[in-house]
Amino acid sequence: MAALFRGSRKLWLRWSKHVDLAHVSVRSMASKTPVGFIGLGNMGTPMAKNLLKNGYPVIATDVFPESCKELQDLNALVVDSPAEVAKKADRIITMLPSSPDVLKVYTGPNGILKNVKKGTLLIDSSTIDPAVSRQMAVAAEKMGAVFMDAPVTGGVGAASLARLTFMVGGLEEEYNAAQELLTCMGANVVYCGQVGTGQAAKICNNMLLAIGMIGTAETMNLGIRLGLDPKLLAKILNMSSGRCWSSDTYNPVPGVMEGVPSANNYQGGFGTTLMAKDLGLAQNTATDTKTSIPLSSLAHQIYRVMCSRGYANKDFSSVFQFLREEEGQ
């Protein structure tokens, strides 16, 4: 009996090894199959372009057809709806502005889940409520698909250079399949845990980013009013303990740095509306978890006021200009 068991075990080990090799082979063969991309805004377009640069055929769509032209000129296949993308691709990335947009793109009348194929990998890089990510994962599972949340940080510049950081939530056994695509668009891909934990990490990051940007804007404004040259002040900050991303990489003062929104009348970059939205997500999750976030609450209030004062479509670093105008300058 023991000999029979040992023989059966050897047979099982040979079979499982064969299955593992076959699985790797299938993944390898599928590596350059088409990838769907939905949402071609400031972030989505450079992300999709980096997939093309890495040899992946891209099937794309956007609610604004004119947003597809740049990808179409690079030989991406442009289709009319998310449902049509789902017909043609079994790996789909979405990059959308908000939770309602994600709900519509996935579950709407022309949504992904209308035509999604069993086994399809769905990667959402939008920044949304973690509860919505979990809701989408359940809906996808019912259709035999796999949903992962993979929001990003780094901004438009990092998206163009494929230097984004992805924070991934979902089934750990599917992480490698997601990582294959995400490494084409980012320098860092971090597995955070179950579905929704990627969104949790992103919300925490953007909460700190907003607070840091307001602090940098206040600091630069005070230094200028005290007679300091803004470039000199930025140099001092960036070699001192006050150094942060908002001071050394994305300075909000016009003329201090090139290639950032403050050098271009705050055009492009990460919109004030989106920052206000992300701070709203932080506020909601803090309420749900009974977490005190007084500085984030104040930052949320500032960015909401900015949206009502004509800053909605400007980069969030325009808080420097907002503070100057509040002083009557």
Side-chain angles (χ1 to χ4, degrees):
M1 188 72 176
L4 177 62
F5 173 77
R6 284 195 298 272
S8 298
R9 177 172 172 76
K10 286 178 181 178
L11 180 62
W12 181 85
L13 287 170
R14 285 197 299 271
W15 177 82
S16 64
K17 183 178 180 182
H18 171 74
V19 169
D20 287 343
L21 288 172
H23 179 73
V24 171
S25 176
V26 168
R27 283 288 186 209
S28 177
M29 289 168 60
S31 64
K32 298 300 182 182
T33 57
V35 177
F37 205 106
I38 301 169
L40 299 173
N42 287 342
M43 294 292 290
T45 293
M47 289 168 67
K49 285 170 69 175
N50 282 321
L51 287 171
L52 287 167
K53 287 177 185 176
N54 279 274
Y56 292 92
V58 170
I59 301 167
T61 194
D62 191 274
V63 67
F64 300 108
E66 61 272 18
S67 298
C68 301
K69 188 178 186 311
E70 189 173 352
L71 266 292
Q72 195 168 30
D73 290 345
L74 294 171
N75 296 320
L77 175 63
V78 173
V79 297
D80 293 331
S81 69
E84 195 169 347
V85 172
K87 275 185 181 179
K88 298 178 183 296
D90 58 12
R91 292 181 294 178
I92 301 171
I93 298 168
T94 50
M95 183 51 137
L96 304 162
S98 66
S99 295
D101 294 303
V102 169
L103 287 166
K104 182 177 180 180
V105 163
Y106 279 87
T107 65
N110 292 307
I112 291 169
L113 297 183
K114 288 294 180 183
N115 288 328
V116 72
K117 295 176 281 188
K118 286 186 177 180
T120 295
L121 177 62
L122 305 169
I123 302 172
D124 181 40
S125 288
S126 318
T127 300
I128 60 172
D129 190 321
V132 174
S133 291
R134 292 190 288 270
Q135 181 183 342
M136 293 301 94
V138 171
E141 186 178 13
K142 288 178 180 177
M143 303 301 294
V146 175
F147 178 95
M148 304 186 83
D149 59 304
V152 306
T153 185
V156 175
S160 299
L161 296 171
R163 301 290 299 172
L164 292 168
T165 292
F166 288 88
M167 295 149 280
V168 184
L171 295 172
E172 189 169 5
E173 55 266 34
E174 295 293 339
Y175 172 65
N176 286 341
Q179 188 180 33
E180 177 197 326
L181 296 177
L182 300 182
T183 51
C184 296
M185 302 176 285
N188 303 294
V189 182
V190 183
Y191 180 69
C192 299
Q194 63 186 355
V195 172
T197 56
Q199 297 295 349
K202 174 61 186 291
I203 288 169
C204 290
N205 178 79
N206 277 22
M207 182 170 73
L208 180 58
L209 176 62
I211 294 167
M213 180 57 77
I214 293 170
T216 300
E218 287 186 349
T219 297
M220 294 296 295
N221 189 37
L222 177 60
I224 291 167
R225 288 177 69 85
L226 290 171
L228 287 167
D229 176 79
K231 285 188 176 181
L232 175 64
L233 177 55
K235 181 180 178 180
I236 293 168
L237 292 174
N238 294 335
M239 60 175 64
S240 305
S241 56
R243 179 182 181 181
C244 65
W245 188 84
S246 295
S247 69
D248 72 0
T249 303
Y250 211 80
N251 198 285
V253 180
V256 169
M257 297 182 68
E258 295 297 324
V260 294
S262 62
N264 188 36
N265 194 29
Y266 300 105
Q267 299 305 304
F270 186 63
T272 296
T273 299
L274 292 175
M275 180 55 85
K277 181 263 294 183
D278 288 357
L279 289 168
L281 293 174
Q283 193 76 58
N284 293 340
T285 54
T287 299
D288 292 342
T289 57
K290 297 181 174 60
T291 303
S292 176
I293 52 168
L295 292 180
S296 180
S297 297
L298 182 56
H300 187 208
Q301 181 181 343
I302 290 170
Y303 278 107
R304 287 178 66 191
V305 170
M306 287 176 64
C307 288
S308 69
R309 300 276 184 86
Y311 289 86
N313 296 320
K314 291 191 173 187
D315 180 75
F316 80 108
S317 64
S318 62
V319 66
F320 173 79
Q321 188 180 61
F322 170 75
L323 292 173
R324 301 277 282 186
E325 289 185 357
E326 286 295 289
E327 297 167 349
Q329 294 190 26

